[in-house]
Amino acid sequence: MKDTYLKSKKVLIVDDEESLRSMLITILEDENFFNIITADCVKSALEICQQEKPDIAILDVMLPDGNGFELMDALRSFTNIPVIFLTAKDDIQDKYSGFGLGADDYITKPFMPKELIFRLNAVLRRCYKEDSPLIELRDCKIDLANAQVIWEDKILPLTAKEHDILEALVRNANHIVTIDALCEAVWGDNPFGYGNSLLAHIRRIREKIEITPSKPKSLVTVKGLGYKINVESRL
């Protein structure tokens, strides 16, 4: 499905109003964004960013222990994730401040849900467009943007979990990804206990990308560590 890979991106929401955080979660989940984390202040947002490594942040300008501009400035010391500012103040100076720090967009409350989703998708497409090329393996190609495996004579669809696993592997192409890191990428905040499920998904992925799944060449096991996908090129 178009833009499926965008829906798997981890979204951080930082706002001190619980009701607004809940509303934003509902809006995002209605659009099939389910990898969502939240924080209610600058301090917790920084801690969460360092631990969870979100792909995009929606920041309120006014926070109880500082403001969104200070938070973004601190984030830039260790991450370049895109940032959308969210504020009740219709102040042009706030916009100048946000964009001056490198913000990707700015939404003023109140806003329509469709506006938020439109702007979120636009920023994700712009910032993560490199996630969408065809990935060439030894015997087939992976199309993450459309969640499918392409052979010369057939196309095999990927399930959501298979897509998430492959996305995490491709992001670290030709390098080992640990079992714990894969489980966290797919199952989120509480990845423990999913080892057997991961193994089952890996087996099904191999059935789709390998000529001989029992002797894999593209998605290999690194004993005692995790898995590695051998990518020939990006098309």
Side-chain angles (χ1 to χ4, degrees), residues 141-180:
K141 299 178 180 66
I142 300 173
D143 181 358
L144 286 175
N146 295 294
Q148 59 189 16
V149 176
I150 303 172
W151 291 78
E152 287 187 2
D153 59 345
K154 60 186 175 182
I155 294 178
L156 303 175
L158 294 167
T159 67
K161 296 300 184 190
E162 290 167 357
H163 175 278
D164 290 348
I165 292 168
L166 282 170
E167 183 183 45
L169 288 167
V170 167
R171 192 183 302 128
N172 299 278
N174 305 315
H175 292 83
I176 299 168
V177 182
T178 66
I179 292 173
D180 287 346

Coordinates of all heavy atoms in Angstrom, one line a residue, residues 141-180:
K141 N 13.9 -8.3 -5.7 CA 14.0 -6.9 -5.3 C 12.9 -6.7 -4.2 O 11.8 -7.4 -4.2 CB 13.7 -6.0 -6.4 CG 14.8 -6.1 -7.5 CD 14.4 -5.1 -8.7 CE 15.5 -5.2 -9.8 NZ 15.5 -6.5 -10.5
I142 N 13.2 -5.8 -3.3 CA 12.2 -5.4 -2.2 C 11.7 -4.0 -2.5 O 12.5 -3.1 -2.7 CB 12.8 -5.5 -0.8 CG1 13.3 -7.0 -0.5 CG2 11.8 -5.1 0.2 CD1 14.0 -7.1 0.8
D143 N 10.4 -3.8 -2.5 CA 9.8 -2.5 -2.7 C 9.1 -2.2 -1.4 O 8.0 -2.5 -1.1 CB 8.8 -2.6 -3.8 CG 8.1 -1.2 -4.1 OD1 8.4 -0.3 -3.4 OD2 7.3 -1.1 -5.0
L144 N 9.9 -1.5 -0.5 CA 9.3 -1.1 0.8 C 8.2 -0.1 0.7 O 7.2 -0.2 1.5 CB 10.4 -0.5 1.7 CG 11.5 -1.5 2.2 CD1 12.6 -0.8 3.0 CD2 10.8 -2.6 3.1
A145 N 8.2 0.8 -0.3 CA 7.2 1.8 -0.4 C 5.8 1.1 -0.7 O 4.8 1.6 -0.2 CB 7.5 2.7 -1.5
N146 N 5.8 0.0 -1.4 CA 4.6 -0.7 -1.7 C 4.4 -2.0 -1.0 O 3.5 -2.8 -1.3 CB 4.4 -0.9 -3.2 CG 4.3 0.4 -3.9 OD1 3.3 1.2 -3.8 ND2 5.4 0.8 -4.7
A147 N 5.3 -2.3 0.0 CA 5.3 -3.5 0.8 C 5.2 -4.8 -0.1 O 4.2 -5.6 0.1 CB 4.1 -3.4 1.8
Q148 N 6.2 -5.0 -0.9 CA 6.1 -6.2 -1.8 C 7.5 -6.6 -2.2 O 8.5 -5.9 -2.2 CB 5.3 -5.9 -3.0 CG 5.8 -4.8 -3.9 CD 4.8 -4.4 -5.0 OE1 3.6 -4.8 -4.9 NE2 5.2 -3.7 -5.9
V149 N 7.6 -7.9 -2.5 CA 8.8 -8.5 -3.0 C 8.6 -8.8 -4.5 O 7.6 -9.3 -4.9 CB 9.2 -9.8 -2.3 CG1 10.4 -10.5 -3.0 CG2 9.4 -9.6 -0.8
I150 N 9.6 -8.3 -5.3 CA 9.4 -8.4 -6.8 C 10.4 -9.5 -7.4 O 11.6 -9.3 -7.2 CB 9.6 -7.1 -7.5 CG1 8.7 -6.0 -6.9 CG2 9.5 -7.2 -9.0 CD1 9.0 -4.6 -7.3
W151 N 9.8 -10.5 -8.0 CA 10.6 -11.5 -8.7 C 10.3 -11.2 -10.2 O 9.5 -10.4 -10.6 CB 10.2 -12.9 -8.4 CG 10.6 -13.3 -7.0 CD1 10.0 -13.0 -5.8 CD2 11.7 -14.1 -6.7 NE1 10.7 -13.5 -4.8 CE2 11.7 -14.3 -5.2 CE3 12.7 -14.8 -7.4 CZ2 12.7 -15.0 -4.6 CZ3 13.6 -15.6 -6.7 CH2 13.6 -15.7 -5.3
E152 N 11.1 -11.9 -11.1 CA 10.9 -11.6 -12.5 C 9.5 -12.0 -13.0 O 8.9 -11.3 -13.9 CB 11.9 -12.5 -13.3 CG 13.3 -11.9 -13.2 CD 14.3 -12.6 -14.2 OE1 13.8 -13.5 -14.9 OE2 15.5 -12.3 -14.2
D153 N 8.9 -13.0 -12.4 CA 7.6 -13.5 -12.9 C 6.5 -13.4 -11.9 O 5.4 -13.9 -12.1 CB 7.7 -15.0 -13.3 CG 8.2 -15.9 -12.1 OD1 8.7 -15.3 -11.1 OD2 8.1 -17.1 -12.3
K154 N 6.7 -12.8 -10.7 CA 5.7 -12.7 -9.7 C 6.0 -11.5 -8.7 O 7.1 -11.1 -8.5 CB 5.5 -14.0 -9.0 CG 6.8 -14.4 -8.2 CD 6.6 -15.8 -7.6 CE 7.9 -16.3 -7.0 NZ 7.8 -17.7 -6.5
I155 N 4.9 -11.1 -8.0 CA 5.0 -10.1 -6.9 C 4.4 -10.7 -5.7 O 3.3 -11.2 -5.7 CB 4.3 -8.8 -7.3 CG1 5.1 -8.2 -8.5 CG2 4.3 -7.9 -6.1 CD1 4.4 -6.9 -9.0
L156 N 5.1 -10.7 -4.6 CA 4.6 -11.2 -3.3 C 4.4 -10.1 -2.3 O 5.4 -9.4 -2.0 CB 5.7 -12.3 -2.8 CG 6.0 -13.4 -3.7 CD1 7.1 -14.3 -3.1 CD2 4.8 -14.3 -4.0
P157 N 3.2 -10.0 -1.8 CA 3.0 -8.9 -0.8 C 3.6 -9.2 0.6 O 3.8 -10.4 0.9 CB 1.5 -8.9 -0.7 CG 1.0 -10.3 -1.0 CD 2.0 -10.8 -2.1
L158 N 4.0 -8.2 1.3 CA 4.6 -8.3 2.6 C 3.5 -7.9 3.6 O 2.7 -7.0 3.4 CB 5.8 -7.4 2.8 CG 7.0 -7.6 2.0 CD1 8.0 -6.4 2.0 CD2 7.7 -8.9 2.4
T159 N 3.5 -8.7 4.7 CA 2.6 -8.3 5.8 C 3.2 -7.1 6.5 O 4.4 -6.7 6.3 CB 2.4 -9.4 6.8 OG1 3.7 -9.7 7.5 CG2 2.0 -10.7 6.1
A160 N 2.5 -6.5 7.4 CA 3.0 -5.3 8.2 C 4.2 -5.6 9.0 O 5.2 -4.9 9.0 CB 1.9 -4.7 9.1
K161 N 4.2 -6.8 9.6 CA 5.4 -7.2 10.5 C 6.6 -7.5 9.6 O 7.7 -7.2 9.9 CB 5.0 -8.4 11.4 CG 4.0 -8.1 12.4 CD 4.4 -7.0 13.4 CE 3.3 -6.7 14.4 NZ 3.6 -5.5 15.2
E162 N 6.3 -8.2 8.5 CA 7.4 -8.5 7.6 C 8.1 -7.3 7.0 O 9.3 -7.1 6.9 CB 6.9 -9.4 6.4 CG 6.5 -10.8 6.8 CD 5.7 -11.6 5.8 OE1 5.4 -11.0 4.7 OE2 5.4 -12.7 6.0
H163 N 7.2 -6.3 6.7 CA 7.7 -5.0 6.2 C 8.6 -4.3 7.3 O 9.6 -3.8 7.0 CB 6.5 -4.1 5.8 CG 6.9 -2.7 5.5 ND1 7.2 -1.7 6.4 CD2 7.1 -2.2 4.2 CE1 7.5 -0.6 5.8 NE2 7.5 -0.8 4.5
D164 N 8.1 -4.3 8.5 CA 8.8 -3.6 9.6 C 10.2 -4.3 9.8 O 11.2 -3.6 10.1 CB 8.0 -3.6 10.9 CG 6.8 -2.7 10.8 OD1 6.7 -1.9 9.8 OD2 5.9 -2.8 11.7
I165 N 10.2 -5.6 9.8 CA 11.5 -6.3 10.0 C 12.4 -6.0 8.8 O 13.6 -5.7 9.1 CB 11.2 -7.8 10.0 CG1 10.5 -8.2 11.3 CG2 12.5 -8.6 10.0 CD1 9.9 -9.6 11.4
L166 N 11.9 -6.1 7.6 CA 12.8 -5.8 6.5 C 13.3 -4.3 6.5 O 14.4 -4.0 6.1 CB 12.1 -6.1 5.2 CG 12.0 -7.6 4.8 CD1 11.1 -7.8 3.6 CD2 13.4 -8.1 4.5
E167 N 12.4 -3.4 6.9 CA 12.8 -2.0 6.9 C 13.9 -1.8 7.9 O 14.9 -1.1 7.6 CB 11.6 -1.1 7.3 CG 11.9 0.3 7.3 CD 10.8 1.2 7.8 OE1 10.2 0.8 8.8 OE2 10.5 2.2 7.2
A168 N 13.8 -2.5 9.1 CA 14.9 -2.3 10.1 C 16.2 -3.0 9.5 O 17.3 -2.4 9.8 CB 14.5 -3.0 11.4
L169 N 16.1 -4.1 8.9 CA 17.3 -4.7 8.3 C 17.9 -3.9 7.2 O 19.1 -3.7 7.1 CB 16.9 -6.1 7.8 CG 16.6 -7.2 8.9 CD1 16.0 -8.4 8.3 CD2 17.9 -7.6 9.6
V170 N 17.1 -3.4 6.3 CA 17.6 -2.6 5.2 C 18.2 -1.3 5.6 O 19.2 -0.8 5.1 CB 16.4 -2.3 4.1 CG1 16.8 -1.3 3.1 CG2 16.0 -3.6 3.4
R171 N 17.7 -0.7 6.7 CA 18.2 0.5 7.2 C 19.7 0.3 7.7 O 20.5 1.2 7.7 CB 17.4 1.0 8.4 CG 17.7 2.4 8.9 CD 16.9 2.8 10.1 NE 15.5 2.7 9.8 CZ 14.6 2.0 10.6 NH1 15.0 1.4 11.6 NH2 13.3 2.0 10.3
N172 N 20.0 -1.0 8.0 CA 21.3 -1.3 8.5 C 21.9 -2.4 7.5 O 22.6 -3.3 7.9 CB 21.3 -1.9 9.9 CG 20.7 -0.9 10.9 OD1 21.5 -0.1 11.4 ND2 19.5 -1.0 11.2
A173 N 21.7 -2.2 6.2 CA 22.0 -3.1 5.2 C 23.5 -3.5 5.3 O 24.4 -2.7 5.5 CB 21.8 -2.6 3.8
N174 N 23.7 -4.9 5.2 CA 25.1 -5.5 5.2 C 25.8 -5.3 6.6 O 27.0 -5.5 6.7 CB 26.0 -4.8 4.1 CG 25.4 -5.0 2.7 OD1 24.9 -6.0 2.3 ND2 25.4 -3.9 2.0
H175 N 25.0 -5.0 7.6 CA 25.4 -5.0 9.0 C 24.5 -5.9 9.8 O 23.3 -6.0 9.5 CB 25.5 -3.6 9.5 CG 26.5 -2.7 8.9 ND1 26.3 -2.1 7.7 CD2 27.8 -2.4 9.2 CE1 27.3 -1.4 7.3 NE2 28.3 -1.5 8.2
I176 N 25.1 -6.3 10.9 CA 24.3 -7.2 11.8 C 23.3 -6.3 12.6 O 23.6 -5.3 13.1 CB 25.2 -7.9 12.8 CG1 26.2 -8.8 12.1 CG2 24.4 -8.7 13.8 CD1 27.3 -9.4 13.0
V177 N 22.0 -6.8 12.7 CA 21.0 -6.2 13.5 C 20.7 -7.2 14.6 O 20.3 -8.4 14.3 CB 19.8 -5.8 12.8 CG1 18.7 -5.1 13.7 CG2 20.1 -4.9 11.6
T178 N 20.8 -6.9 15.9 CA 20.6 -7.8 16.9 C 19.1 -8.2 17.0 O 18.2 -7.5 16.6 CB 21.0 -7.3 18.3 OG1 20.2 -6.2 18.6 CG2 22.5 -6.8 18.3
I179 N 18.8 -9.3 17.6 CA 17.5 -9.8 17.8 C 16.7 -8.8 18.7 O 15.5 -8.4 18.4 CB 17.4 -11.2 18.5 CG1 18.0 -12.2 17.5 CG2 16.0 -11.6 19.0 CD1 18.2 -13.6 18.1
D180 N 17.3 -8.3 19.7 CA 16.6 -7.3 20.6 C 16.3 -6.0 19.8 O 15.2 -5.5 19.9 CB 17.5 -6.9 21.8 CG 17.6 -8.0 22.8 OD1 16.8 -8.9 22.7 OD2 18.5 -7.9 23.7

